[in-house]
Amino acid sequence: QVQLVESGGGLVQAGGSLRLSCAASGRAFSSYAMAWFRQAPGKEREFLTAITYSGGRTYYVGSVKGRFTTSRDNAKNTVYLQMNSLKPEDTAVYYCAADRIYRTPPATNYEHWGQGTQVTVSS
């Protein structure tokens, strides 16, 4: 089992950038694939991106592809989500997730979840 804590959310103007971090604890963080999700008010949870245990492969949904980048530093037990060119529609609670299986759409049922961090993008 792995425990996840997101940080780095906040208020940013449209066009700006934020970097989210997901700090993990557990015996074998480097064995887990990681993913980022978000949930906007009144909307369903949305899968954004996934990264393999080694960081060698990534997947992005079209709404963030080219703007968001995920990476990981296994030595620091941390996964990052660099968000650039932010738009008001990016406003949501952002969650990191972990699973022993690298999951991409349509099967994105990750097992472990963080508590979320709020990102608000003003116009």
Side-chain angles (χ1 to χ4, degrees):
Q1 189 173 351
V2 61
Q3 293 133 302
L4 309 171
V5 180
E6 302 96 332
S7 63
L11 176 65
V12 65
Q13 291 184 334
S17 298
L18 281 175
R19 175 181 256 208
L20 306 184
S21 298
C22 176
S25 62
R27 291 177 59 193
F29 170 76
S30 62
S31 297
Y32 286 85
M34 302 294 297
W36 289 93
F37 295 75
R38 69 186 179 189
Q39 188 166 18
K43 298 186 68 178
E44 294 291 312
R45 185 183 63 191
E46 178 187 13
F47 171 87
L48 300 177
T49 179
I51 185 168
T52 58
Y53 66 90
S54 67
R57 289 191 296 154
T58 54
Y59 179 95
Y60 300 90
V61 297
S63 59
V64 304
K65 190 175 183 179
R67 298 190 299 124
F68 292 9
T69 303
T70 190
S71 61
R72 66 192 297 163
D73 187 340
N74 288 346
K76 297 180 179 179
N77 284 9
T78 302
V79 178
Y80 304 97
L81 183 66
Q82 178 67 46
M83 305 185 294
N84 299 324
S85 302
L86 284 163
K87 306 173 182 179
E89 51 262 45
D90 294 319
T91 296
V93 177
Y94 284 71
Y95 300 89
C96 65
D99 203 292
R100 291 189 177 272
I101 299 173
Y102 176 65
R103 302 182 185 275
T104 56
T108 58
N109 52 323
Y110 278 73
E111 183 177 0
H112 306 285
W113 295 84
Q115 86 289 347
T117 185
Q118 176 71 47
V119 172
T120 303
V121 184
S122 62
S123 60

